[in-house]
Amino acid sequence: MALGEILFKEIKDSRDWENKLQTWLTAHLLMLAVPGITSLSESLSATPPIQSSESVEHKLPESANPARGAESVQLVELITLMSEVVGVEQLKFAPGGEKKVHEFDVARLYLFSATWMSSRHTSDVLGTHEINLLYKHREKLKPTSGELHNLIRAVAADTSSLKPGWFWIRNLKPENVGRILVLLATSDLNTDVRDNALKLLTSAKIILPEERWPELPFWDDSAPTRFAAYNYLASLDVREALSFLEGLADSEDNPIYSFAAKQAALSVKLRLDPNQAFSELIARPELMSDDLLPKLRASIHDITDKVLLDGVVGSEDKIRVLCIEELVRRSALPKALAESLTNDDSAAIKGLAFDALVRMGEQVDLDKLRASDSYFGLSTIGLGPDSTLQRVFSSYSPERLEEQVDWFSVNGPVAYKSLALKHFNRISNSIRTDIQNGFIRIKEASEARLRAQFGVQAETLIKSFTELNKFVASTFLEAALGGLAVNAQPSDVEMARHHLSSGEFRLHSAALDIVSRFGDASDVSALLRLANEGLGPVSVNSARAALRLSDDPLQVVRELAATNKREIIGIGFQWLVEQPSVEGTQYCRELLEEQGDGNRVLSIYYLSQTLSMDELEKLLENYLARDSYFYNVVTWLDRLLYAPPPLREMFATELTHSL
């Protein structure tokens, strides 16, 4: 060395060595990846060098060292300021010292000391409040490489969207993003940092070369970290990843880790060779898990009929259901097999078998259907357009359907709806009258048939239905409205409005269908109430109808945003994105100040779709200038503006999914 210096470090133990090595590697990588960063944290934490006597006179004073970076100057100035304000009474401020020390000085001192504390002792990440305070002064802060490393650790470990900080590495080259994440995933002493670094690698679809895979923490002491490493490889569509995971599974003694590696390998195999993966699951049903179900559904269309048939007769029930559903969709389930499955032990399998036979045009024995374990469920949802019972009746002649319309049969309302759907002209003259009269025509005709068949004994059955008549009438009303909705006229909207506001949720779907087609702005209030109080598709469709019929859709968006239903709120914001306006932009700016986290995130999504990058940057600047603000707004804007590719694209996709 030109100056004759000997630099050394004292290492207390293996943990200390691991900690220091990780810090040095990160510092070196950051100096290479981020222009203008020097390794002051190295010199500040170093053991003082041993100097030869002949070199002393040639060394420049520290204060005059021209190689010192801006971060070095900033820290020296801070330390000088602290020495001035700290009085003789140890930690007490000298008179007037409070006025000399400003918010940035306190935050800067915290970063300096927290970096030392974390790297030497705790491995903790920076706190939420503290990193947000530092972010307020992001332009002024000149972090050393060690401090920058600590900032990156906090941002990488953030799972709550409350820690901004990508600004400080906004110039990081895309090819260096993977290197830093791998370094954090493999070397950081904080489990949260390791886990989330791996998740970022996976979500951002950063593909590491095969020679780097052994660096990943497949043998980490933390189970979540191992699982995250398995999941990363499982996201790669290459056979080498499959072989690597299978090798990990075979070499692992712990059955938990071995099973997780096998699951990850199956995920890869399902994309590369779905038939082989399905065959393996059929042969080894113990490998099945709920996590695999969505992946199985995604690949089911690529499975051959032969493998699917094997899955029907010899596999775990969840796989059998998937196989039967796909075979039915292809019209490839053999009739003989479907008939045998109507005697299966599984109620779900029985239901699918009956449904398959109906789709084939086979006549299903209603008594057998009624006697099966699955019948109760089928009869309960029999009015649904895709129900098995509805399909059975859709194949009947109108005369046979009329015979099935009976007040005292659970099949009566389903047959009535089939008439309304398939043979509307046959009952068009009576369906509206039936609705108005409470289906008294059907009730009286059914009672007359009972009396003709059983005489005076029929009165006992008729009387026993006294408490059930209201319920039976409601099932017929649901059936009638369902059939009428398909053939409705504008004049039917008044009747639909009445049922739209009723307390019987079963009537809402059909009534909503009619109001959506023939209603007007006067229906918006009822639709908004149903959007807030309704269930499932009814709630969603009510929100959409309210937006379509309203004279002031932006006000509808405001009211939807006031609900506690994320999907309903998202419909409003989707409308805003599709209909951008000055008013919509102003509204979303206002929402950045409201209490609801979800609405703020959706507002950022809208603004990210309608404002330029310069406008978003100005928005962030103005937002931070407020007396109070929300951390998640700052964090999301920081991600969208400054996260390096491909992380920026990953965050943008995640924001889109918030709808």
Side-chain angles (χ1 to χ4, degrees), residues 34 131 134-135 137-139 141 143 148 151 155 164-171 638 642:
V34 184
I131 198 170
L134 285 162
Y135 197 82
H137 305 282
R138 63 198 181 284
E139 296 281 1
L141 176 64
L148 184 58
L151 289 164
V155 174
W166 296 108
F167 170 85
W168 288 299
I169 56 170
R170 60 194 181 280
N171 295 322
D638 172 67
Y642 305 123

mmCIF file with all atom_site columns, all heavy atoms in Angstrom, residues 34 131 134-135 137-139 141 143 148 151 155 164-171 638 642:
data_model
loop_
_atom_site.group_PDB
_atom_site.id
_atom_site.type_symbol
_atom_site.label_atom_id
_atom_site.label_alt_id
_atom_site.label_comp_id
_atom_site.label_asym_id
_atom_site.label_entity_id
_atom_site.label_seq_id
_atom_site.pdbx_PDB_ins_code
_atom_site.Cartn_x
_atom_site.Cartn_y
_atom_site.Cartn_z
_atom_site.occupancy
_atom_site.B_iso_or_equiv
_atom_site.pdbx_formal_charge
_atom_site.auth_seq_id
_atom_site.auth_comp_id
_atom_site.auth_asym_id
_atom_site.auth_atom_id
_atom_site.pdbx_PDB_model_num
ATOM 1   N N   . VAL A 1 34  ? -24.465 1.622  -7.442  1.00 0.00 ? 34  VAL A N   1
ATOM 2   C CA  . VAL A 1 34  ? -25.058 2.946  -7.274  1.00 0.00 ? 34  VAL A CA  1
ATOM 3   C C   . VAL A 1 34  ? -23.970 3.995  -7.386  1.00 0.00 ? 34  VAL A C   1
ATOM 4   O O   . VAL A 1 34  ? -23.087 4.062  -6.534  1.00 0.00 ? 34  VAL A O   1
ATOM 5   C CB  . VAL A 1 34  ? -25.775 3.072  -5.916  1.00 0.00 ? 34  VAL A CB  1
ATOM 6   C CG1 . VAL A 1 34  ? -26.453 4.425  -5.809  1.00 0.00 ? 34  VAL A CG1 1
ATOM 7   C CG2 . VAL A 1 34  ? -26.789 1.948  -5.752  1.00 0.00 ? 34  VAL A CG2 1
ATOM 8   N N   . ILE A 1 131 ? -38.078 5.653  9.196   1.00 0.00 ? 131 ILE A N   1
ATOM 9   C CA  . ILE A 1 131 ? -37.720 5.710  7.780   1.00 0.00 ? 131 ILE A CA  1
ATOM 10  C C   . ILE A 1 131 ? -38.595 6.721  7.038   1.00 0.00 ? 131 ILE A C   1
ATOM 11  O O   . ILE A 1 131 ? -38.145 7.367  6.078   1.00 0.00 ? 131 ILE A O   1
ATOM 12  C CB  . ILE A 1 131 ? -37.797 4.314  7.120   1.00 0.00 ? 131 ILE A CB  1
ATOM 13  C CG1 . ILE A 1 131 ? -36.999 4.309  5.809   1.00 0.00 ? 131 ILE A CG1 1
ATOM 14  C CG2 . ILE A 1 131 ? -39.230 3.877  6.879   1.00 0.00 ? 131 ILE A CG2 1
ATOM 15  C CD1 . ILE A 1 131 ? -36.818 2.936  5.199   1.00 0.00 ? 131 ILE A CD1 1
ATOM 16  N N   . LEU A 1 134 ? -37.021 10.084 7.718   1.00 0.00 ? 134 LEU A N   1
ATOM 17  C CA  . LEU A 1 134 ? -35.859 10.247 6.845   1.00 0.00 ? 134 LEU A CA  1
ATOM 18  C C   . LEU A 1 134 ? -36.297 10.555 5.416   1.00 0.00 ? 134 LEU A C   1
ATOM 19  O O   . LEU A 1 134 ? -35.658 11.352 4.718   1.00 0.00 ? 134 LEU A O   1
ATOM 20  C CB  . LEU A 1 134 ? -35.015 8.968  6.862   1.00 0.00 ? 134 LEU A CB  1
ATOM 21  C CG  . LEU A 1 134 ? -34.174 8.722  8.111   1.00 0.00 ? 134 LEU A CG  1
ATOM 22  C CD1 . LEU A 1 134 ? -33.757 7.265  8.201   1.00 0.00 ? 134 LEU A CD1 1
ATOM 23  C CD2 . LEU A 1 134 ? -32.947 9.634  8.111   1.00 0.00 ? 134 LEU A CD2 1
ATOM 24  N N   . TYR A 1 135 ? -37.398 9.934  4.989   1.00 0.00 ? 135 TYR A N   1
ATOM 25  C CA  . TYR A 1 135 ? -37.845 10.117 3.609   1.00 0.00 ? 135 TYR A CA  1
ATOM 26  C C   . TYR A 1 135 ? -38.295 11.554 3.351   1.00 0.00 ? 135 TYR A C   1
ATOM 27  O O   . TYR A 1 135 ? -38.174 12.052 2.227   1.00 0.00 ? 135 TYR A O   1
ATOM 28  C CB  . TYR A 1 135 ? -38.980 9.143  3.286   1.00 0.00 ? 135 TYR A CB  1
ATOM 29  C CG  . TYR A 1 135 ? -39.213 8.983  1.803   1.00 0.00 ? 135 TYR A CG  1
ATOM 30  C CD1 . TYR A 1 135 ? -38.419 8.125  1.057   1.00 0.00 ? 135 TYR A CD1 1
ATOM 31  C CD2 . TYR A 1 135 ? -40.203 9.703  1.145   1.00 0.00 ? 135 TYR A CD2 1
ATOM 32  C CE1 . TYR A 1 135 ? -38.608 7.975  -0.313  1.00 0.00 ? 135 TYR A CE1 1
ATOM 33  C CE2 . TYR A 1 135 ? -40.405 9.567  -0.219  1.00 0.00 ? 135 TYR A CE2 1
ATOM 34  C CZ  . TYR A 1 135 ? -39.601 8.709  -0.945  1.00 0.00 ? 135 TYR A CZ  1
ATOM 35  O OH  . TYR A 1 135 ? -39.782 8.574  -2.297  1.00 0.00 ? 135 TYR A OH  1
ATOM 36  N N   . HIS A 1 137 ? -36.790 14.018 4.142   1.00 0.00 ? 137 HIS A N   1
ATOM 37  C CA  . HIS A 1 137 ? -35.565 14.755 3.824   1.00 0.00 ? 137 HIS A CA  1
ATOM 38  C C   . HIS A 1 137 ? -34.705 13.957 2.844   1.00 0.00 ? 137 HIS A C   1
ATOM 39  O O   . HIS A 1 137 ? -33.479 14.012 2.891   1.00 0.00 ? 137 HIS A O   1
ATOM 40  C CB  . HIS A 1 137 ? -34.792 15.031 5.113   1.00 0.00 ? 137 HIS A CB  1
ATOM 41  C CG  . HIS A 1 137 ? -35.601 15.733 6.160   1.00 0.00 ? 137 HIS A CG  1
ATOM 42  N ND1 . HIS A 1 137 ? -35.864 17.081 6.124   1.00 0.00 ? 137 HIS A ND1 1
ATOM 43  C CD2 . HIS A 1 137 ? -36.243 15.253 7.262   1.00 0.00 ? 137 HIS A CD2 1
ATOM 44  C CE1 . HIS A 1 137 ? -36.611 17.416 7.174   1.00 0.00 ? 137 HIS A CE1 1
ATOM 45  N NE2 . HIS A 1 137 ? -36.852 16.323 7.875   1.00 0.00 ? 137 HIS A NE2 1
ATOM 46  N N   . ARG A 1 138 ? -35.367 13.213 1.952   1.00 0.00 ? 138 ARG A N   1
ATOM 47  C CA  . ARG A 1 138 ? -34.657 12.289 1.073   1.00 0.00 ? 138 ARG A CA  1
ATOM 48  C C   . ARG A 1 138 ? -33.644 12.996 0.177   1.00 0.00 ? 138 ARG A C   1
ATOM 49  O O   . ARG A 1 138 ? -32.589 12.436 -0.135  1.00 0.00 ? 138 ARG A O   1
ATOM 50  C CB  . ARG A 1 138 ? -35.658 11.494 0.228   1.00 0.00 ? 138 ARG A CB  1
ATOM 51  C CG  . ARG A 1 138 ? -36.483 12.358 -0.720  1.00 0.00 ? 138 ARG A CG  1
ATOM 52  C CD  . ARG A 1 138 ? -37.729 11.628 -1.196  1.00 0.00 ? 138 ARG A CD  1
ATOM 53  N NE  . ARG A 1 138 ? -38.505 12.449 -2.129  1.00 0.00 ? 138 ARG A NE  1
ATOM 54  C CZ  . ARG A 1 138 ? -39.273 13.459 -1.756  1.00 0.00 ? 138 ARG A CZ  1
ATOM 55  N NH1 . ARG A 1 138 ? -39.367 13.779 -0.467  1.00 0.00 ? 138 ARG A NH1 1
ATOM 56  N NH2 . ARG A 1 138 ? -39.954 14.162 -2.648  1.00 0.00 ? 138 ARG A NH2 1
ATOM 57  N N   . GLU A 1 139 ? -33.963 14.211 -0.265  1.00 0.00 ? 139 GLU A N   1
ATOM 58  C CA  . GLU A 1 139 ? -33.030 14.931 -1.129  1.00 0.00 ? 139 GLU A CA  1
ATOM 59  C C   . GLU A 1 139 ? -31.784 15.359 -0.368  1.00 0.00 ? 139 GLU A C   1
ATOM 60  O O   . GLU A 1 139 ? -30.685 15.397 -0.917  1.00 0.00 ? 139 GLU A O   1
ATOM 61  C CB  . GLU A 1 139 ? -33.721 16.159 -1.729  1.00 0.00 ? 139 GLU A CB  1
ATOM 62  C CG  . GLU A 1 139 ? -34.899 15.852 -2.645  1.00 0.00 ? 139 GLU A CG  1
ATOM 63  C CD  . GLU A 1 139 ? -34.465 15.432 -4.036  1.00 0.00 ? 139 GLU A CD  1
ATOM 64  O OE1 . GLU A 1 139 ? -33.245 15.366 -4.281  1.00 0.00 ? 139 GLU A OE1 1
ATOM 65  O OE2 . GLU A 1 139 ? -35.349 15.166 -4.875  1.00 0.00 ? 139 GLU A OE2 1
ATOM 66  N N   . LEU A 1 141 ? -30.549 13.883 2.457   1.00 0.00 ? 141 LEU A N   1
ATOM 67  C CA  . LEU A 1 141 ? -29.800 12.780 3.052   1.00 0.00 ? 141 LEU A CA  1
ATOM 68  C C   . LEU A 1 141 ? -28.757 12.230 2.081   1.00 0.00 ? 141 LEU A C   1
ATOM 69  O O   . LEU A 1 141 ? -29.055 11.925 0.932   1.00 0.00 ? 141 LEU A O   1
ATOM 70  C CB  . LEU A 1 141 ? -30.766 11.663 3.456   1.00 0.00 ? 141 LEU A CB  1
ATOM 71  C CG  . LEU A 1 141 ? -30.117 10.386 4.015   1.00 0.00 ? 141 LEU A CG  1
ATOM 72  C CD1 . LEU A 1 141 ? -29.395 10.681 5.322   1.00 0.00 ? 141 LEU A CD1 1
ATOM 73  C CD2 . LEU A 1 141 ? -31.172 9.298  4.205   1.00 0.00 ? 141 LEU A CD2 1
ATOM 74  N N   . PRO A 1 143 ? -26.570 9.086  2.314   1.00 0.00 ? 143 PRO A N   1
ATOM 75  C CA  . PRO A 1 143 ? -26.236 7.899  3.105   1.00 0.00 ? 143 PRO A CA  1
ATOM 76  C C   . PRO A 1 143 ? -24.905 7.287  2.686   1.00 0.00 ? 143 PRO A C   1
ATOM 77  O O   . PRO A 1 143 ? -24.528 7.311  1.513   1.00 0.00 ? 143 PRO A O   1
ATOM 78  C CB  . PRO A 1 143 ? -27.392 6.948  2.812   1.00 0.00 ? 143 PRO A CB  1
ATOM 79  C CG  . PRO A 1 143 ? -27.843 7.325  1.443   1.00 0.00 ? 143 PRO A CG  1
ATOM 80  C CD  . PRO A 1 143 ? -27.635 8.808  1.324   1.00 0.00 ? 143 PRO A CD  1
ATOM 81  N N   . LEU A 1 148 ? -27.042 3.009  3.404   1.00 0.00 ? 148 LEU A N   1
ATOM 82  C CA  . LEU A 1 148 ? -27.888 2.694  2.258   1.00 0.00 ? 148 LEU A CA  1
ATOM 83  C C   . LEU A 1 148 ? -28.314 1.229  2.301   1.00 0.00 ? 148 LEU A C   1
ATOM 84  O O   . LEU A 1 148 ? -29.467 0.889  2.016   1.00 0.00 ? 148 LEU A O   1
ATOM 85  C CB  . LEU A 1 148 ? -27.136 2.989  0.966   1.00 0.00 ? 148 LEU A CB  1
ATOM 86  C CG  . LEU A 1 148 ? -27.926 2.791  -0.328  1.00 0.00 ? 148 LEU A CG  1
ATOM 87  C CD1 . LEU A 1 148 ? -29.184 3.650  -0.332  1.00 0.00 ? 148 LEU A CD1 1
ATOM 88  C CD2 . LEU A 1 148 ? -27.060 3.110  -1.536  1.00 0.00 ? 148 LEU A CD2 1
ATOM 89  N N   . LEU A 1 151 ? -31.110 0.996  4.710   1.00 0.00 ? 151 LEU A N   1
ATOM 90  C CA  . LEU A 1 151 ? -32.350 1.507  4.124   1.00 0.00 ? 151 LEU A CA  1
ATOM 91  C C   . LEU A 1 151 ? -32.966 0.479  3.180   1.00 0.00 ? 151 LEU A C   1
ATOM 92  O O   . LEU A 1 151 ? -34.178 0.240  3.205   1.00 0.00 ? 151 LEU A O   1
ATOM 93  C CB  . LEU A 1 151 ? -32.069 2.813  3.377   1.00 0.00 ? 151 LEU A CB  1
ATOM 94  C CG  . LEU A 1 151 ? -31.743 4.036  4.234   1.00 0.00 ? 151 LEU A CG  1
ATOM 95  C CD1 . LEU A 1 151 ? -31.115 5.138  3.385   1.00 0.00 ? 151 LEU A CD1 1
ATOM 96  C CD2 . LEU A 1 151 ? -32.997 4.565  4.927   1.00 0.00 ? 151 LEU A CD2 1
ATOM 97  N N   . VAL A 1 155 ? -36.721 -1.471 3.294   1.00 0.00 ? 155 VAL A N   1
ATOM 98  C CA  . VAL A 1 155 ? -37.670 -1.404 2.189   1.00 0.00 ? 155 VAL A CA  1
ATOM 99  C C   . VAL A 1 155 ? -37.956 -2.800 1.638   1.00 0.00 ? 155 VAL A C   1
ATOM 100 O O   . VAL A 1 155 ? -39.098 -3.144 1.328   1.00 0.00 ? 155 VAL A O   1
ATOM 101 C CB  . VAL A 1 155 ? -37.126 -0.475 1.086   1.00 0.00 ? 155 VAL A CB  1
ATOM 102 C CG1 . VAL A 1 155 ? -38.027 -0.517 -0.128  1.00 0.00 ? 155 VAL A CG1 1
ATOM 103 C CG2 . VAL A 1 155 ? -37.008 0.951  1.603   1.00 0.00 ? 155 VAL A CG2 1
ATOM 104 N N   . PRO A 1 164 ? -41.221 3.694  2.616   1.00 0.00 ? 164 PRO A N   1
ATOM 105 C CA  . PRO A 1 164 ? -40.650 4.144  1.347   1.00 0.00 ? 164 PRO A CA  1
ATOM 106 C C   . PRO A 1 164 ? -39.131 4.129  1.412   1.00 0.00 ? 164 PRO A C   1
ATOM 107 O O   . PRO A 1 164 ? -38.546 4.114  2.487   1.00 0.00 ? 164 PRO A O   1
ATOM 108 C CB  . PRO A 1 164 ? -41.179 5.575  1.232   1.00 0.00 ? 164 PRO A CB  1
ATOM 109 C CG  . PRO A 1 164 ? -41.262 6.037  2.661   1.00 0.00 ? 164 PRO A CG  1
ATOM 110 C CD  . PRO A 1 164 ? -41.662 4.819  3.462   1.00 0.00 ? 164 PRO A CD  1
ATOM 111 N N   . GLY A 1 165 ? -38.493 4.142  0.236   1.00 0.00 ? 165 GLY A N   1
ATOM 112 C CA  . GLY A 1 165 ? -37.039 4.191  0.248   1.00 0.00 ? 165 GLY A CA  1
ATOM 113 C C   . GLY A 1 165 ? -36.382 3.843  -1.063  1.00 0.00 ? 165 GLY A C   1
ATOM 114 O O   . GLY A 1 165 ? -35.159 3.931  -1.200  1.00 0.00 ? 165 GLY A O   1
ATOM 115 N N   . TRP A 1 166 ? -37.168 3.481  -2.082  1.00 0.00 ? 166 TRP A N   1
ATOM 116 C CA  . TRP A 1 166 ? -36.568 3.158  -3.372  1.00 0.00 ? 166 TRP A CA  1
ATOM 117 C C   . TRP A 1 166 ? -35.909 4.392  -3.988  1.00 0.00 ? 166 TRP A C   1
ATOM 118 O O   . TRP A 1 166 ? -35.040 4.251  -4.862  1.00 0.00 ? 166 TRP A O   1
ATOM 119 C CB  . TRP A 1 166 ? -37.625 2.585  -4.313  1.00 0.00 ? 166 TRP A CB  1
ATOM 120 C CG  . TRP A 1 166 ? -38.195 1.292  -3.831  1.00 0.00 ? 166 TRP A CG  1
ATOM 121 C CD1 . TRP A 1 166 ? -39.448 1.078  -3.325  1.00 0.00 ? 166 TRP A CD1 1
ATOM 122 C CD2 . TRP A 1 166 ? -37.536 0.024  -3.792  1.00 0.00 ? 166 TRP A CD2 1
ATOM 123 N NE1 . TRP A 1 166 ? -39.612 -0.233 -2.966  1.00 0.00 ? 166 TRP A NE1 1
ATOM 124 C CE2 . TRP A 1 166 ? -38.448 -0.907 -3.243  1.00 0.00 ? 166 TRP A CE2 1
ATOM 125 C CE3 . TRP A 1 166 ? -36.264 -0.422 -4.154  1.00 0.00 ? 166 TRP A CE3 1
ATOM 126 C CZ2 . TRP A 1 166 ? -38.129 -2.241 -3.050  1.00 0.00 ? 166 TRP A CZ2 1
ATOM 127 C CZ3 . TRP A 1 166 ? -35.941 -1.755 -3.968  1.00 0.00 ? 166 TRP A CZ3 1
ATOM 128 C CH2 . TRP A 1 166 ? -36.871 -2.643 -3.431  1.00 0.00 ? 166 TRP A CH2 1
ATOM 129 N N   . PHE A 1 167 ? -36.299 5.572  -3.531  1.00 0.00 ? 167 PHE A N   1
ATOM 130 C CA  . PHE A 1 167 ? -35.706 6.805  -4.036  1.00 0.00 ? 167 PHE A CA  1
ATOM 131 C C   . PHE A 1 167 ? -34.187 6.766  -3.961  1.00 0.00 ? 167 PHE A C   1
ATOM 132 O O   . PHE A 1 167 ? -33.495 7.239  -4.869  1.00 0.00 ? 167 PHE A O   1
ATOM 133 C CB  . PHE A 1 167 ? -36.245 7.994  -3.225  1.00 0.00 ? 167 PHE A CB  1
ATOM 134 C CG  . PHE A 1 167 ? -35.543 9.295  -3.484  1.00 0.00 ? 167 PHE A CG  1
ATOM 135 C CD1 . PHE A 1 167 ? -35.922 10.102 -4.547  1.00 0.00 ? 167 PHE A CD1 1
ATOM 136 C CD2 . PHE A 1 167 ? -34.485 9.708  -2.683  1.00 0.00 ? 167 PHE A CD2 1
ATOM 137 C CE1 . PHE A 1 167 ? -35.266 11.299 -4.792  1.00 0.00 ? 167 PHE A CE1 1
ATOM 138 C CE2 . PHE A 1 167 ? -33.830 10.900 -2.921  1.00 0.00 ? 167 PHE A CE2 1
ATOM 139 C CZ  . PHE A 1 167 ? -34.221 11.696 -3.982  1.00 0.00 ? 167 PHE A CZ  1
ATOM 140 N N   . TRP A 1 168 ? -33.657 6.199  -2.888  1.00 0.00 ? 168 TRP A N   1
ATOM 141 C CA  . TRP A 1 168 ? -32.210 6.244  -2.678  1.00 0.00 ? 168 TRP A CA  1
ATOM 142 C C   . TRP A 1 168 ? -31.444 5.316  -3.614  1.00 0.00 ? 168 TRP A C   1
ATOM 143 O O   . TRP A 1 168 ? -30.222 5.442  -3.723  1.00 0.00 ? 168 TRP A O   1
ATOM 144 C CB  . TRP A 1 168 ? -31.893 5.926  -1.222  1.00 0.00 ? 168 TRP A CB  1
ATOM 145 C CG  . TRP A 1 168 ? -32.289 7.052  -0.311  1.00 0.00 ? 168 TRP A CG  1
ATOM 146 C CD1 . TRP A 1 168 ? -31.820 8.325  -0.323  1.00 0.00 ? 168 TRP A CD1 1
ATOM 147 C CD2 . TRP A 1 168 ? -33.260 7.008  0.732   1.00 0.00 ? 168 TRP A CD2 1
ATOM 148 N NE1 . TRP A 1 168 ? -32.436 9.080  0.653   1.00 0.00 ? 168 TRP A NE1 1
ATOM 149 C CE2 . TRP A 1 168 ? -33.328 8.300  1.317   1.00 0.00 ? 168 TRP A CE2 1
ATOM 150 C CE3 . TRP A 1 168 ? -34.082 6.018  1.250   1.00 0.00 ? 168 TRP A CE3 1
ATOM 151 C CZ2 . TRP A 1 168 ? -34.171 8.610  2.377   1.00 0.00 ? 168 TRP A CZ2 1
ATOM 152 C CZ3 . TRP A 1 168 ? -34.929 6.316  2.299   1.00 0.00 ? 168 TRP A CZ3 1
ATOM 153 C CH2 . TRP A 1 168 ? -34.970 7.602  2.855   1.00 0.00 ? 168 TRP A CH2 1
ATOM 154 N N   . ILE A 1 169 ? -32.128 4.388  -4.267  1.00 0.00 ? 169 ILE A N   1
ATOM 155 C CA  . ILE A 1 169 ? -31.437 3.555  -5.257  1.00 0.00 ? 169 ILE A CA  1
ATOM 156 C C   . ILE A 1 169 ? -32.172 3.626  -6.595  1.00 0.00 ? 169 ILE A C   1
ATOM 157 O O   . ILE A 1 169 ? -32.220 2.667  -7.356  1.00 0.00 ? 169 ILE A O   1
ATOM 158 C CB  . ILE A 1 169 ? -31.303 2.089  -4.795  1.00 0.00 ? 169 ILE A CB  1
ATOM 159 C CG1 . ILE A 1 169 ? -32.675 1.494  -4.448  1.00 0.00 ? 169 ILE A CG1 1
ATOM 160 C CG2 . ILE A 1 169 ? -30.335 1.967  -3.636  1.00 0.00 ? 169 ILE A CG2 1
ATOM 161 C CD1 . ILE A 1 169 ? -32.618 -0.009 -4.235  1.00 0.00 ? 169 ILE A CD1 1
ATOM 162 N N   . ARG A 1 170 ? -32.736 4.788  -6.878  1.00 0.00 ? 170 ARG A N   1
ATOM 163 C CA  . ARG A 1 170 ? -33.522 4.955  -8.101  1.00 0.00 ? 170 ARG A CA  1
ATOM 164 C C   . ARG A 1 170 ? -32.687 4.772  -9.366  1.00 0.00 ? 170 ARG A C   1
ATOM 165 O O   . ARG A 1 170 ? -33.236 4.480  -10.428 1.00 0.00 ? 170 ARG A O   1
ATOM 166 C CB  . ARG A 1 170 ? -34.193 6.335  -8.114  1.00 0.00 ? 170 ARG A CB  1
ATOM 167 C CG  . ARG A 1 170 ? -33.224 7.514  -8.061  1.00 0.00 ? 170 ARG A CG  1
ATOM 168 C CD  . ARG A 1 170 ? -33.980 8.800  -7.738  1.00 0.00 ? 170 ARG A CD  1
ATOM 169 N NE  . ARG A 1 170 ? -33.109 9.969  -7.693  1.00 0.00 ? 170 ARG A NE  1
ATOM 170 C CZ  . ARG A 1 170 ? -32.336 10.293 -6.664  1.00 0.00 ? 170 ARG A CZ  1
ATOM 171 N NH1 . ARG A 1 170 ? -32.304 9.504  -5.593  1.00 0.00 ? 170 ARG A NH1 1
ATOM 172 N NH2 . ARG A 1 170 ? -31.593 11.382 -6.688  1.00 0.00 ? 170 ARG A NH2 1
ATOM 173 N N   . ASN A 1 171 ? -31.374 4.962  -9.262  1.00 0.00 ? 171 ASN A N   1
ATOM 174 C CA  . ASN A 1 171 ? -30.513 4.808  -10.434 1.00 0.00 ? 171 ASN A CA  1
ATOM 175 C C   . ASN A 1 171 ? -29.889 3.419  -10.535 1.00 0.00 ? 171 ASN A C   1
ATOM 176 O O   . ASN A 1 171 ? -29.007 3.194  -11.362 1.00 0.00 ? 171 ASN A O   1
ATOM 177 C CB  . ASN A 1 171 ? -29.401 5.865  -10.401 1.00 0.00 ? 171 ASN A CB  1
ATOM 178 C CG  . ASN A 1 171 ? -29.952 7.276  -10.527 1.00 0.00 ? 171 ASN A CG  1
ATOM 179 O OD1 . ASN A 1 171 ? -30.894 7.510  -11.281 1.00 0.00 ? 171 ASN A OD1 1
ATOM 180 N ND2 . ASN A 1 171 ? -29.388 8.206  -9.777  1.00 0.00 ? 171 ASN A ND2 1
ATOM 181 N N   . ASP A 1 638 ? -43.567 6.286  -3.962  1.00 0.00 ? 638 ASP A N   1
ATOM 182 C CA  . ASP A 1 638 ? -42.136 6.000  -4.031  1.00 0.00 ? 638 ASP A CA  1
ATOM 183 C C   . ASP A 1 638 ? -41.880 4.774  -4.908  1.00 0.00 ? 638 ASP A C   1
ATOM 184 O O   . ASP A 1 638 ? -40.962 4.766  -5.736  1.00 0.00 ? 638 ASP A O   1
ATOM 185 C CB  . ASP A 1 638 ? -41.601 5.781  -2.618  1.00 0.00 ? 638 ASP A CB  1
ATOM 186 C CG  . ASP A 1 638 ? -40.162 5.286  -2.603  1.00 0.00 ? 638 ASP A CG  1
ATOM 187 O OD1 . ASP A 1 638 ? -39.273 6.060  -2.999  1.00 0.00 ? 638 ASP A OD1 1
ATOM 188 O OD2 . ASP A 1 638 ? -39.940 4.126  -2.205  1.00 0.00 ? 638 ASP A OD2 1
ATOM 189 N N   . TYR A 1 642 ? -39.783 5.428  -8.243  1.00 0.00 ? 642 TYR A N   1
ATOM 190 C CA  . TYR A 1 642 ? -38.353 5.230  -8.082  1.00 0.00 ? 642 TYR A CA  1
ATOM 191 C C   . TYR A 1 642 ? -37.877 3.782  -8.013  1.00 0.00 ? 642 TYR A C   1
ATOM 192 O O   . TYR A 1 642 ? -36.675 3.542  -8.108  1.00 0.00 ? 642 TYR A O   1
ATOM 193 C CB  . TYR A 1 642 ? -37.877 5.957  -6.812  1.00 0.00 ? 642 TYR A CB  1
ATOM 194 C CG  . TYR A 1 642 ? -38.230 7.416  -6.791  1.00 0.00 ? 642 TYR A CG  1
ATOM 195 C CD1 . TYR A 1 642 ? -38.988 7.961  -5.746  1.00 0.00 ? 642 TYR A CD1 1
ATOM 196 C CD2 . TYR A 1 642 ? -37.828 8.266  -7.820  1.00 0.00 ? 642 TYR A CD2 1
ATOM 197 C CE1 . TYR A 1 642 ? -39.313 9.308  -5.724  1.00 0.00 ? 642 TYR A CE1 1
ATOM 198 C CE2 . TYR A 1 642 ? -38.158 9.614  -7.801  1.00 0.00 ? 642 TYR A CE2 1
ATOM 199 C CZ  . TYR A 1 642 ? -38.905 10.126 -6.752  1.00 0.00 ? 642 TYR A CZ  1
ATOM 200 O OH  . TYR A 1 642 ? -39.225 11.456 -6.737  1.00 0.00 ? 642 TYR A OH  1
#
